[in-house]
Amino acid sequence: MYSLLIEGGRPLEGEVTISGAKNAVLPLMAAALLTREPCVIRRVPALSDVAFMVRILTAVGAKVRSQGDTVSIEANRIRGFCDYDLVRKMRGSVCLLGPLLGRLGQAKVSLPGGCVIGTRPIDLHLKGLRALGAKIQIDSGYVCAQTRRLKGSAMFLGGRAGPTVLGTANVMMAATLAEGVTVIQSAACEPEIVDLAEFLNAMGAQITGAGSPTITITGVKELHGAEHEAIPDRIEAATFAIAAACSRGEVTLRGARPEHLHAVLDKLEEAGVRLDRAGGNLTVKGGRRLRPVDVTTQPYAGFPTDAQAQMMVLMTQASGISILTERIFETRFMHVSELARLGADITIEGPSAVVKGPSVLSGAPVMASDLRASAALVIASLVARGRTHVKRIYHLDRGYERIDDKLRRLGARIQRLSDS
Ligand code: EPZ
Protein backbone atom coordinates (compact mmCIF):
# COMPACT_ATOMS: atom_id res chain seq x y z
CA MET A 1 0.00 0.00 0.00
CA TYR A 2 1.21 3.50 -0.78
CA SER A 3 0.37 6.99 0.46
CA LEU A 4 1.33 10.48 -0.61
CA LEU A 5 2.96 13.10 1.60
CA ILE A 6 2.31 16.58 0.18
CA GLU A 7 3.67 19.96 1.32
CA GLY A 8 1.12 22.56 0.21
CA GLY A 9 1.31 26.24 -0.62
CA ARG A 10 3.40 26.17 -3.83
CA PRO A 11 1.90 27.22 -7.20
CA LEU A 12 2.05 24.62 -10.01
CA GLU A 13 4.08 25.92 -12.92
CA GLY A 14 5.04 24.42 -16.28
CA GLU A 15 3.68 21.82 -18.72
CA VAL A 16 1.98 18.47 -18.15
CA THR A 17 1.23 15.86 -20.84
CA ILE A 18 -2.28 14.44 -20.66
CA SER A 19 -2.37 10.63 -20.96
CA GLY A 20 -4.82 8.49 -22.90
CA ALA A 21 -8.34 8.28 -21.47
CA LYS A 22 -9.00 5.42 -19.03
CA ASN A 23 -12.72 5.50 -19.87
CA ALA A 24 -11.99 5.25 -23.58
CA VAL A 25 -9.32 2.56 -23.36
CA LEU A 26 -11.33 0.06 -21.28
CA PRO A 27 -14.16 -0.35 -23.85
CA LEU A 28 -11.63 -0.12 -26.72
CA MET A 29 -9.77 -3.12 -25.27
CA ALA A 30 -13.04 -5.02 -24.82
CA ALA A 31 -14.00 -4.26 -28.46
CA ALA A 32 -10.94 -6.21 -29.65
CA LEU A 33 -12.82 -9.37 -28.56
CA LEU A 34 -15.20 -8.84 -31.50
CA THR A 35 -12.64 -10.12 -34.02
CA ARG A 36 -10.18 -13.00 -34.19
CA GLU A 37 -7.71 -10.72 -35.97
CA PRO A 38 -5.07 -8.71 -34.05
CA CYS A 39 -5.91 -5.17 -32.84
CA VAL A 40 -3.50 -2.47 -31.66
CA ILE A 41 -4.50 0.36 -29.29
CA ARG A 42 -2.16 3.29 -28.72
CA ARG A 43 -1.95 5.99 -26.07
CA VAL A 44 -2.92 3.48 -23.40
CA PRO A 45 -2.21 4.93 -19.93
CA ALA A 46 -0.24 2.91 -17.35
CA LEU A 47 -3.09 2.47 -14.85
CA SER A 48 -4.02 -0.37 -12.52
CA ASP A 49 -7.49 -0.50 -14.15
CA VAL A 50 -5.83 -1.08 -17.54
CA ALA A 51 -3.54 -3.75 -16.06
CA PHE A 52 -6.67 -5.39 -14.70
CA MET A 53 -8.37 -5.31 -18.08
CA VAL A 54 -5.28 -7.01 -19.56
CA ARG A 55 -5.67 -9.75 -16.90
CA ILE A 56 -9.37 -10.14 -17.67
CA LEU A 57 -8.88 -10.34 -21.45
CA THR A 58 -6.14 -12.92 -20.89
CA ALA A 59 -8.50 -14.86 -18.61
CA VAL A 60 -11.09 -15.12 -21.40
CA GLY A 61 -8.38 -16.45 -23.72
CA ALA A 62 -7.11 -13.41 -25.64
CA LYS A 63 -3.37 -12.93 -26.24
CA VAL A 64 -2.45 -9.46 -24.89
CA ARG A 65 0.92 -7.73 -25.25
CA SER A 66 1.79 -4.34 -23.76
CA GLN A 67 4.75 -2.32 -24.99
CA GLY A 68 5.03 1.23 -23.62
CA ASP A 69 1.69 2.92 -24.26
CA THR A 70 0.67 0.36 -26.92
CA VAL A 71 -1.45 -2.72 -26.28
CA SER A 72 -1.84 -5.50 -28.88
CA ILE A 73 -4.78 -7.87 -28.47
CA GLU A 74 -5.46 -11.06 -30.43
CA ALA A 75 -8.72 -12.77 -29.50
CA ASN A 76 -8.46 -15.74 -31.82
CA ARG A 77 -9.85 -18.38 -29.44
CA ILE A 78 -11.82 -17.01 -26.49
CA ARG A 79 -14.44 -18.23 -24.02
CA GLY A 80 -17.39 -16.25 -22.73
CA PHE A 81 -16.76 -16.45 -18.99
CA CYS A 82 -15.58 -13.66 -16.70
CA ASP A 83 -15.47 -14.55 -13.04
CA TYR A 84 -16.57 -12.60 -9.99
CA ASP A 85 -13.10 -12.30 -8.52
CA LEU A 86 -11.95 -10.32 -11.53
CA VAL A 87 -15.08 -8.28 -12.22
CA ARG A 88 -15.69 -7.15 -8.63
CA LYS A 89 -12.28 -5.45 -8.58
CA MET A 90 -12.90 -3.45 -11.74
CA ARG A 91 -16.53 -2.85 -12.55
CA GLY A 92 -15.60 -1.41 -15.95
CA SER A 93 -15.13 -5.06 -17.02
CA VAL A 94 -18.91 -5.21 -17.38
CA CYS A 95 -18.21 -3.92 -20.91
CA LEU A 96 -17.05 -7.40 -21.91
CA LEU A 97 -20.68 -8.51 -21.93
CA GLY A 98 -21.57 -7.00 -25.30
CA PRO A 99 -18.49 -8.14 -27.25
CA LEU A 100 -18.58 -11.69 -25.81
CA LEU A 101 -22.27 -12.02 -26.64
CA GLY A 102 -21.81 -10.55 -30.12
CA ARG A 103 -18.82 -12.74 -30.97
CA LEU A 104 -19.70 -16.05 -29.25
CA GLY A 105 -23.48 -15.93 -28.82
CA GLN A 106 -23.07 -16.54 -25.11
CA ALA A 107 -21.50 -14.83 -22.11
CA LYS A 108 -21.33 -15.42 -18.37
CA VAL A 109 -20.08 -12.28 -16.64
CA SER A 110 -20.28 -11.56 -12.95
CA LEU A 111 -22.59 -8.76 -11.84
CA PRO A 112 -20.19 -5.88 -11.05
CA GLY A 113 -21.80 -4.87 -7.77
CA GLY A 114 -21.88 -1.33 -6.45
CA CYS A 115 -19.14 0.98 -5.24
CA VAL A 116 -18.85 3.92 -2.84
CA ILE A 117 -20.29 6.42 -5.35
CA GLY A 118 -23.49 4.53 -5.96
CA THR A 119 -25.33 1.24 -6.50
CA ARG A 120 -24.22 1.11 -10.15
CA PRO A 121 -27.04 -1.08 -11.57
CA ILE A 122 -26.74 -2.58 -15.07
CA ASP A 123 -30.47 -2.93 -15.82
CA LEU A 124 -30.14 -0.72 -18.93
CA HIS A 125 -27.29 -2.85 -20.28
CA LEU A 126 -29.51 -5.93 -19.95
CA LYS A 127 -32.52 -4.10 -21.42
CA GLY A 128 -30.50 -3.26 -24.53
CA LEU A 129 -29.04 -6.74 -24.97
CA ARG A 130 -32.47 -8.34 -24.49
CA ALA A 131 -33.80 -5.95 -27.15
CA LEU A 132 -31.22 -7.53 -29.47
CA GLY A 133 -32.78 -10.93 -28.75
CA ALA A 134 -30.42 -12.21 -26.05
CA LYS A 135 -31.90 -14.55 -23.43
CA ILE A 136 -30.53 -13.24 -20.12
CA GLN A 137 -30.80 -14.71 -16.63
CA ILE A 138 -29.15 -13.72 -13.37
CA ASP A 139 -27.82 -16.85 -11.71
CA SER A 140 -25.71 -16.87 -8.51
CA GLY A 141 -24.45 -13.34 -9.09
CA TYR A 142 -23.68 -13.90 -12.76
CA VAL A 143 -25.28 -12.46 -15.88
CA CYS A 144 -25.85 -15.51 -18.09
CA ALA A 145 -26.65 -14.42 -21.64
CA GLN A 146 -27.12 -16.43 -24.80
CA THR A 147 -28.49 -16.13 -28.32
CA ARG A 148 -28.45 -18.03 -31.60
CA ARG A 149 -27.77 -14.76 -33.40
CA LEU A 150 -28.48 -11.23 -32.24
CA LYS A 151 -31.11 -9.31 -34.21
CA GLY A 152 -30.98 -5.54 -34.65
CA SER A 153 -33.83 -3.53 -33.13
CA ALA A 154 -34.77 -0.04 -31.92
CA MET A 155 -34.44 0.64 -28.18
CA PHE A 156 -34.56 3.45 -25.60
CA LEU A 157 -31.59 3.28 -23.19
CA GLY A 158 -32.31 6.32 -20.98
CA GLY A 159 -32.44 5.74 -17.22
CA ARG A 160 -33.39 7.79 -14.18
CA ALA A 161 -30.09 9.71 -14.40
CA GLY A 162 -30.07 9.94 -18.19
CA PRO A 163 -28.02 7.81 -20.61
CA THR A 164 -25.59 5.04 -19.59
CA VAL A 165 -22.03 5.27 -20.95
CA LEU A 166 -20.96 1.64 -20.61
CA GLY A 167 -24.48 0.47 -21.35
CA THR A 168 -24.33 2.32 -24.68
CA ALA A 169 -20.88 0.83 -25.30
CA ASN A 170 -22.06 -2.71 -24.55
CA VAL A 171 -25.10 -2.55 -26.82
CA MET A 172 -23.23 -0.75 -29.61
CA MET A 173 -20.49 -3.41 -29.61
CA ALA A 174 -22.94 -6.32 -29.59
CA ALA A 175 -25.05 -4.70 -32.35
CA THR A 176 -22.07 -4.53 -34.75
CA LEU A 177 -22.46 -8.30 -35.35
CA ALA A 178 -26.27 -8.48 -35.06
CA GLU A 179 -28.47 -9.24 -38.07
CA GLY A 180 -30.06 -6.02 -39.32
CA VAL A 181 -30.20 -2.47 -38.03
CA THR A 182 -30.09 -1.32 -34.39
CA VAL A 183 -31.14 2.17 -33.30
CA ILE A 184 -30.17 3.27 -29.77
CA GLN A 185 -32.28 6.18 -28.52
CA SER A 186 -31.00 8.21 -25.54
CA ALA A 187 -27.50 6.91 -26.24
CA ALA A 188 -24.61 8.37 -24.21
CA CYS A 189 -22.88 11.21 -26.10
CA GLU A 190 -19.53 11.10 -24.27
CA PRO A 191 -16.33 11.48 -26.37
CA GLU A 192 -15.37 7.97 -25.21
CA ILE A 193 -18.42 6.60 -27.08
CA VAL A 194 -17.38 8.50 -30.23
CA ASP A 195 -13.86 7.09 -29.85
CA LEU A 196 -15.22 3.55 -29.51
CA ALA A 197 -17.46 3.96 -32.59
CA GLU A 198 -14.46 5.19 -34.61
CA PHE A 199 -12.46 2.10 -33.61
CA LEU A 200 -15.40 -0.23 -34.37
CA ASN A 201 -15.88 1.38 -37.80
CA ALA A 202 -12.14 0.95 -38.46
CA MET A 203 -12.78 -2.76 -37.70
CA GLY A 204 -15.47 -2.83 -40.40
CA ALA A 205 -18.55 -1.95 -38.37
CA GLN A 206 -21.22 0.38 -39.77
CA ILE A 207 -22.07 2.92 -37.06
CA THR A 208 -23.48 6.42 -37.52
CA GLY A 209 -24.64 9.03 -35.03
CA ALA A 210 -22.07 8.38 -32.28
CA GLY A 211 -21.83 11.52 -30.15
CA SER A 212 -25.53 12.21 -30.61
CA PRO A 213 -28.45 10.76 -28.60
CA THR A 214 -29.36 8.46 -31.52
CA ILE A 215 -26.83 5.88 -32.70
CA THR A 216 -27.56 3.59 -35.68
CA ILE A 217 -25.63 0.34 -36.15
CA THR A 218 -26.04 -1.81 -39.26
CA GLY A 219 -24.87 -5.32 -38.39
CA VAL A 220 -22.14 -7.04 -40.42
CA LYS A 221 -21.07 -10.69 -40.62
CA GLU A 222 -17.69 -10.20 -39.01
CA LEU A 223 -15.15 -7.57 -38.03
CA HIS A 224 -11.44 -7.43 -38.84
CA GLY A 225 -8.42 -6.19 -36.89
CA ALA A 226 -7.59 -2.47 -36.70
CA GLU A 227 -5.26 0.02 -35.03
CA HIS A 228 -6.47 3.00 -33.01
CA GLU A 229 -5.10 5.80 -30.85
CA ALA A 230 -7.24 6.54 -27.78
CA ILE A 231 -8.39 10.10 -27.08
CA PRO A 232 -6.67 12.06 -24.30
CA ASP A 233 -8.20 11.85 -20.82
CA ARG A 234 -10.59 14.80 -20.43
CA ILE A 235 -11.01 14.10 -16.70
CA GLU A 236 -7.25 14.07 -16.10
CA ALA A 237 -7.09 17.36 -18.02
CA ALA A 238 -9.92 18.79 -15.88
CA THR A 239 -8.13 17.61 -12.74
CA PHE A 240 -4.86 19.35 -13.65
CA ALA A 241 -6.70 22.48 -14.80
CA ILE A 242 -8.46 22.72 -11.43
CA ALA A 243 -5.21 21.98 -9.58
CA ALA A 244 -3.44 24.79 -11.47
CA ALA A 245 -6.27 27.19 -10.63
CA CYS A 246 -6.39 26.17 -6.95
CA SER A 247 -2.63 26.53 -6.52
CA ARG A 248 -2.75 29.93 -8.25
CA GLY A 249 -0.18 28.71 -10.74
CA GLU A 250 0.14 28.52 -14.52
CA VAL A 251 0.05 25.14 -16.25
CA THR A 252 -0.11 24.15 -19.92
CA LEU A 253 -2.04 20.91 -20.54
CA ARG A 254 -0.19 19.36 -23.49
CA GLY A 255 -2.36 17.09 -25.64
CA ALA A 256 -5.66 18.03 -23.96
CA ARG A 257 -8.68 18.46 -26.26
CA PRO A 258 -10.48 21.65 -25.08
CA GLU A 259 -13.53 20.65 -27.14
CA HIS A 260 -14.04 17.74 -24.69
CA LEU A 261 -13.90 20.11 -21.72
CA HIS A 262 -16.31 22.95 -22.56
CA ALA A 263 -18.46 22.63 -19.44
CA VAL A 264 -15.46 22.54 -17.09
CA LEU A 265 -13.63 25.40 -18.84
CA ASP A 266 -16.84 27.44 -18.84
CA LYS A 267 -17.18 27.08 -15.05
CA LEU A 268 -13.47 27.82 -14.48
CA GLU A 269 -13.78 31.06 -16.48
CA GLU A 270 -16.97 31.97 -14.60
CA ALA A 271 -14.97 31.53 -11.37
CA GLY A 272 -12.33 33.95 -12.64
CA VAL A 273 -9.69 31.49 -13.87
CA ARG A 274 -7.89 32.69 -17.01
CA LEU A 275 -7.50 30.28 -19.97
CA ASP A 276 -5.20 30.68 -22.93
CA ARG A 277 -5.87 28.50 -25.97
CA ALA A 278 -3.07 29.93 -28.15
CA GLY A 279 -0.82 27.57 -30.11
CA GLY A 280 -3.19 24.65 -29.93
CA ASN A 281 -2.42 24.06 -26.26
CA LEU A 282 -4.54 24.94 -23.25
CA THR A 283 -2.89 27.02 -20.52
CA VAL A 284 -4.67 27.55 -17.20
CA LYS A 285 -3.73 30.59 -15.12
CA GLY A 286 -4.85 30.81 -11.49
CA GLY A 287 -3.96 33.75 -9.34
CA ARG A 288 -6.83 36.19 -9.14
CA ARG A 289 -9.60 36.13 -6.57
CA LEU A 290 -11.94 33.23 -7.26
CA ARG A 291 -15.67 33.83 -7.60
CA PRO A 292 -18.24 31.29 -6.32
CA VAL A 293 -20.13 29.32 -9.00
CA ASP A 294 -23.01 26.82 -8.96
CA VAL A 295 -22.42 23.48 -10.69
CA THR A 296 -24.81 20.63 -11.49
CA THR A 297 -23.37 17.41 -12.88
CA GLN A 298 -25.06 16.17 -16.05
CA PRO A 299 -24.53 13.68 -18.86
CA TYR A 300 -22.12 14.93 -21.57
CA ALA A 301 -21.80 17.73 -22.73
CA GLY A 302 -22.85 18.94 -19.25
CA PHE A 303 -20.47 19.26 -16.30
CA PRO A 304 -18.93 15.77 -15.79
CA THR A 305 -19.64 13.98 -12.52
CA ASP A 306 -16.01 12.76 -12.63
CA ALA A 307 -14.81 16.34 -12.09
CA GLN A 308 -17.29 17.23 -9.30
CA ALA A 309 -15.02 16.40 -6.35
CA GLN A 310 -12.10 18.30 -7.86
CA MET A 311 -14.31 21.35 -8.56
CA MET A 312 -15.49 21.31 -4.96
CA VAL A 313 -11.94 22.02 -3.82
CA LEU A 314 -11.76 25.07 -6.08
CA MET A 315 -15.02 26.27 -4.57
CA THR A 316 -13.55 26.11 -1.04
CA GLN A 317 -11.16 28.84 -2.22
CA ALA A 318 -13.81 31.08 -3.83
CA SER A 319 -15.08 34.17 -2.00
CA GLY A 320 -18.69 33.30 -1.31
CA ILE A 321 -21.18 30.43 -1.38
CA SER A 322 -21.15 27.82 -4.18
CA ILE A 323 -23.64 25.00 -4.65
CA LEU A 324 -22.52 21.73 -6.24
CA THR A 325 -25.38 19.40 -7.17
CA GLU A 326 -24.66 15.75 -8.08
CA ARG A 327 -27.28 14.37 -10.42
CA ILE A 328 -25.52 11.25 -11.76
CA PHE A 329 -24.42 9.21 -8.73
CA GLU A 330 -26.44 9.17 -5.55
CA THR A 331 -23.58 9.03 -3.02
CA ARG A 332 -20.69 10.81 -4.68
CA PHE A 333 -19.82 13.06 -1.72
CA MET A 334 -17.38 10.77 0.12
CA HIS A 335 -14.70 13.44 -0.26
CA VAL A 336 -16.67 16.04 1.75
CA SER A 337 -15.83 14.69 5.22
CA GLU A 338 -12.13 14.39 4.34
CA LEU A 339 -12.05 17.93 2.90
CA ALA A 340 -13.65 19.13 6.15
CA ARG A 341 -10.68 17.61 8.02
CA LEU A 342 -8.47 20.00 6.06
CA GLY A 343 -10.65 22.95 7.07
CA ALA A 344 -13.24 23.19 4.28
CA ASP A 345 -16.72 24.50 5.17
CA ILE A 346 -19.17 22.23 3.27
CA THR A 347 -22.73 21.27 4.17
CA ILE A 348 -24.61 18.51 2.34
CA GLU A 349 -28.26 19.26 1.58
CA GLY A 350 -29.70 16.22 -0.25
CA PRO A 351 -28.08 16.00 -3.71
CA SER A 352 -26.28 19.31 -3.17
CA ALA A 353 -23.15 20.40 -1.32
CA VAL A 354 -23.15 24.01 -0.09
CA VAL A 355 -19.55 25.23 -0.10
CA LYS A 356 -18.61 28.38 1.82
CA GLY A 357 -15.31 30.04 0.99
CA PRO A 358 -12.65 31.07 1.08
CA SER A 359 -11.44 28.55 3.68
CA VAL A 360 -7.88 28.40 4.91
CA LEU A 361 -6.96 24.73 4.47
CA SER A 362 -4.31 23.17 6.68
CA GLY A 363 -2.58 19.83 6.26
CA ALA A 364 -3.77 16.71 8.06
CA PRO A 365 -3.86 12.93 7.51
CA VAL A 366 -6.74 12.03 5.14
CA MET A 367 -8.07 8.82 3.59
CA ALA A 368 -8.91 8.36 -0.10
CA SER A 369 -12.22 6.56 -0.72
CA ASP A 370 -12.58 6.44 -4.51
CA LEU A 371 -10.78 7.53 -7.64
CA ARG A 372 -11.99 11.10 -8.07
CA ALA A 373 -12.31 11.80 -4.33
CA SER A 374 -8.60 10.92 -4.08
CA ALA A 375 -7.83 13.45 -6.80
CA ALA A 376 -9.77 16.08 -4.85
CA LEU A 377 -7.75 15.32 -1.70
CA VAL A 378 -4.49 15.69 -3.62
CA ILE A 379 -5.60 19.07 -5.01
CA ALA A 380 -6.67 20.21 -1.52
CA SER A 381 -3.26 19.11 -0.16
CA LEU A 382 -1.53 21.32 -2.73
CA VAL A 383 -3.53 24.28 -1.40
CA ALA A 384 -3.34 23.44 2.32
CA ARG A 385 -0.69 24.97 4.53
CA GLY A 386 1.73 22.40 5.89
CA ARG A 387 1.84 18.68 5.22
CA THR A 388 -1.01 16.38 4.22
CA HIS A 389 -0.73 12.60 4.28
CA VAL A 390 -3.16 11.06 1.75
CA LYS A 391 -3.62 7.35 2.45
CA ARG A 392 -5.01 4.47 0.31
CA ILE A 393 -3.87 6.07 -2.93
CA TYR A 394 -4.39 2.79 -4.78
CA HIS A 395 -7.71 4.45 -5.67
CA LEU A 396 -5.74 7.20 -7.40
CA ASP A 397 -3.47 4.82 -9.31
CA ARG A 398 -6.55 3.23 -10.89
CA GLY A 399 -7.21 6.30 -13.00
CA TYR A 400 -4.22 8.67 -12.98
CA GLU A 401 -0.93 7.78 -14.64
CA ARG A 402 1.97 8.60 -12.26
CA ILE A 403 0.14 11.67 -10.94
CA ASP A 404 2.79 12.28 -8.27
CA ASP A 405 5.58 12.38 -10.88
CA LYS A 406 3.54 14.76 -13.04
CA LEU A 407 2.79 17.06 -10.09
CA ARG A 408 6.44 16.99 -8.93
CA ARG A 409 7.52 18.12 -12.40
CA LEU A 410 5.13 21.06 -11.95
CA GLY A 411 6.87 22.07 -8.73
CA ALA A 412 4.74 20.28 -6.15
CA ARG A 413 6.48 18.97 -3.04
CA ILE A 414 5.06 15.44 -3.10
CA GLN A 415 6.48 12.10 -1.96
CA ARG A 416 5.13 8.60 -2.50
CA LEU A 417 5.57 6.56 0.71
CA SER A 418 5.26 2.81 1.06
CA ASP A 419 2.89 2.06 3.96
CA SER A 420 3.40 -1.72 3.94
C1 EPZ B 1 -18.89 5.56 -16.83
O1 EPZ B 1 -19.43 4.70 -15.86
C2 EPZ B 1 -17.51 5.93 -16.30
N1 EPZ B 1 -16.69 4.73 -16.13
C3 EPZ B 1 -17.65 6.65 -14.96
O2 EPZ B 1 -16.33 7.06 -14.58
C4 EPZ B 1 -18.52 7.89 -15.15
O3 EPZ B 1 -18.69 8.53 -13.90
C5 EPZ B 1 -19.89 7.46 -15.70
O4 EPZ B 1 -19.70 6.74 -16.95
C6 EPZ B 1 -20.79 8.65 -15.97
O5 EPZ B 1 -20.17 9.52 -16.86
C7 EPZ B 1 -16.15 4.15 -17.22
O6 EPZ B 1 -16.36 4.57 -18.33
C8 EPZ B 1 -15.27 2.96 -16.97
P1 EPZ B 1 -23.30 5.14 -16.39
P2 EPZ B 1 -20.81 3.89 -16.20
O7 EPZ B 1 -23.83 3.82 -16.79
O8 EPZ B 1 -20.96 3.67 -17.63
C9 EPZ B 1 -27.29 4.79 -13.88
C10 EPZ B 1 -14.49 7.35 -13.17
O9 EPZ B 1 -14.34 8.01 -12.12
N2 EPZ B 1 -27.43 3.48 -14.56
O10 EPZ B 1 -23.19 6.20 -17.43
O11 EPZ B 1 -20.85 2.70 -15.28
C11 EPZ B 1 -26.11 4.83 -12.94
O12 EPZ B 1 -26.46 4.30 -11.66
C12 EPZ B 1 -15.76 6.55 -13.36
O13 EPZ B 1 -13.67 7.30 -14.12
C13 EPZ B 1 -28.60 2.78 -14.38
O14 EPZ B 1 -29.51 3.22 -13.67
O15 EPZ B 1 -21.90 4.94 -15.70
C14 EPZ B 1 -25.79 6.29 -12.89
O16 EPZ B 1 -26.69 6.92 -12.00
C15 EPZ B 1 -16.70 6.62 -12.18
N3 EPZ B 1 -28.74 1.58 -15.02
C16 EPZ B 1 -26.09 6.77 -14.31
O17 EPZ B 1 -26.97 5.78 -14.87
C17 EPZ B 1 -27.74 1.07 -15.82
O18 EPZ B 1 -27.93 -0.01 -16.40
C18 EPZ B 1 -24.86 6.91 -15.21
O19 EPZ B 1 -24.17 5.69 -15.15
C19 EPZ B 1 -26.55 1.80 -15.98
C20 EPZ B 1 -26.41 3.02 -15.34
Side-chain angles (χ1 to χ4, degrees):
M1 287 261 253
Y2 290 100
S3 60
L4 292 177
L5 195 56
I6 299 168
E7 181 86 36
R10 292 165 59 91
L12 298 178
E13 308 275 351
E15 282 191 1
V16 63
T17 299
I18 300 302
S19 302
K22 165 180 84 85
N23 292 349
V25 162
L26 296 177
L28 288 171
M29 291 171 73
L33 295 176
L34 285 162
T35 175
R36 60 180 68 251
E37 295 184 12
C39 290
V40 176
I41 301 167
R42 293 198 172 78
R43 193 158 44 190
V44 176
L47 304 172
S48 52
D49 267 13
V50 170
F52 229 87
M53 185 56 108
V54 170
R55 273 184 60 186
I56 291 169
L57 293 178
T58 308
V60 300
K63 288 198 189 67
V64 188
R65 260 182 314 110
S66 296
Q67 199 166 3
D69 73 348
T70 301
V71 170
S72 310
I73 300 167
E74 187 168 346
N76 190 5
R77 301 161 55 82
I78 56 170
R79 62 202 185 100
F81 175 69
C82 197
D83 87 356
Y84 171 66
D85 216 26
L86 287 173
V87 171
R88 73 181 173 83
K89 290 178 190 151
M90 210 269 291
R91 63 177 315 286
S93 48
V94 69
C95 66
L96 265 75
L97 202 46
L100 288 174
L101 193 57
R103 169 82 186 277
L104 302 174
Q106 55 95 16
K108 184 175 179 184
V109 177
S110 168
L111 279 167
C115 67
V116 290
I117 66 174
T119 50
R120 312 296 295 273
I122 63 166
D123 56 305
L124 298 171
H125 298 235
L126 305 185
K127 175 183 177 185
L129 296 174
R130 284 189 172 111
L132 295 177
K135 295 273 170 290
I136 295 181
Q137 280 163 340
I138 307 295
D139 180 15
S140 320
Y142 281 85
V143 175
C144 304
Q146 62 179 26
T147 178
R148 220 174 30 74
R149 186 167 186 211
L150 294 175
K151 279 198 179 15
S153 75
M155 66 189 73
F156 179 80
L157 275 195
R160 57 170 186 77
T164 163
V165 176
L166 288 183
T168 301
N170 254 332
V171 174
M172 186 165 73
M173 288 189 280
T176 59
L177 295 176
E179 203 174 326
V181 179
T182 296
V183 179
I184 305 174
Q185 297 286 0
S186 187
C189 303
E190 272 69 5
E192 292 77 21
I193 292 292
V194 176
D195 206 34
L196 176 61
E198 281 174 11
F199 179 45
L200 290 167
N201 282 341
M203 293 168 73
Q206 292 179 23
I207 300 171
T208 56
S212 83
T214 304
I215 300 179
T216 303
I217 306 108
T218 305
V220 295
K221 270 226 162 305
E222 62 179 11
L223 297 179
H224 52 73
E227 305 205 359
H228 183 78
E229 181 171 275
I231 53 172
D233 194 317
R234 60 192 171 97
I235 304 301
E236 184 192 25
T239 303
F240 275 100
I242 293 169
C246 284
S247 71
R248 302 188 182 287
E250 182 169 325
V251 175
T252 297
L253 309 175
R254 190 161 289 292
R257 299 233 332 231
E259 69 273 23
H260 291 166
L261 279 168
H262 283 316
V264 174
L265 300 181
D266 175 61
K267 281 298 169 186
L268 288 180
E269 285 184 308
E270 187 186 328
V273 177
R274 282 163 298 145
L275 304 174
D276 181 348
R277 296 173 170 83
N281 279 312
L282 176 64
T283 299
V284 180
K285 299 174 183 171
R288 289 194 309 212
R289 226 165 74 92
L290 289 166
R291 295 187 288 267
V293 291
D294 294 340
V295 172
T296 298
T297 63
Q298 294 166 318
Y300 193 84
F303 194 94
T305 173
D306 293 347
Q308 176 255 105
Q310 301 91 309
M311 192 67 185
M312 193 179 284
V313 180
L314 189 73
M315 294 301 88
T316 69
Q317 302 306 298
S319 306
I321 295 178
S322 302
I323 299 179
L324 285 173
T325 302
E326 174 57 56
R327 289 280 181 224
I328 305 296
F329 290 111
E330 58 274 28
T331 54
R332 199 170 201 170
F333 284 146
M334 297 296 284
H335 41 287
V336 170
S337 50
E338 294 304 295
L339 291 176
R341 286 178 48 72
L342 299 177
D345 180 350
I346 306 168
T347 315
I348 295 179
E349 302 278 349
S352 298
V354 180
V355 184
K356 287 193 189 112
S359 299
V360 176
L361 301 184
S362 48
V366 287
M367 191 82 79
S369 56
D370 62 273
L371 169 54
R372 306 304 175 183
S374 321
L377 293 178
V378 169
I379 295 173
S381 308
L382 295 169
V383 175
R385 290 186 185 150
R387 304 178 107 181
T388 301
H389 192 193
V390 184
K391 300 184 177 165
R392 292 192 187 167
I393 59 152
Y394 59 86
H395 292 291
L396 204 57
D397 292 334
R398 292 186 48 200
Y400 290 95
E401 187 175 44
R402 298 188 304 278
I403 192 168
D404 41 329
D405 293 347
K406 291 187 176 183
L407 286 170
R408 196 174 299 115
R409 276 201 292 279
L410 291 173
R413 283 218 188 107
I414 182 168
Q415 273 180 293
R416 179 178 284 251
L417 306 175
S418 165
D419 294 347
S420 37

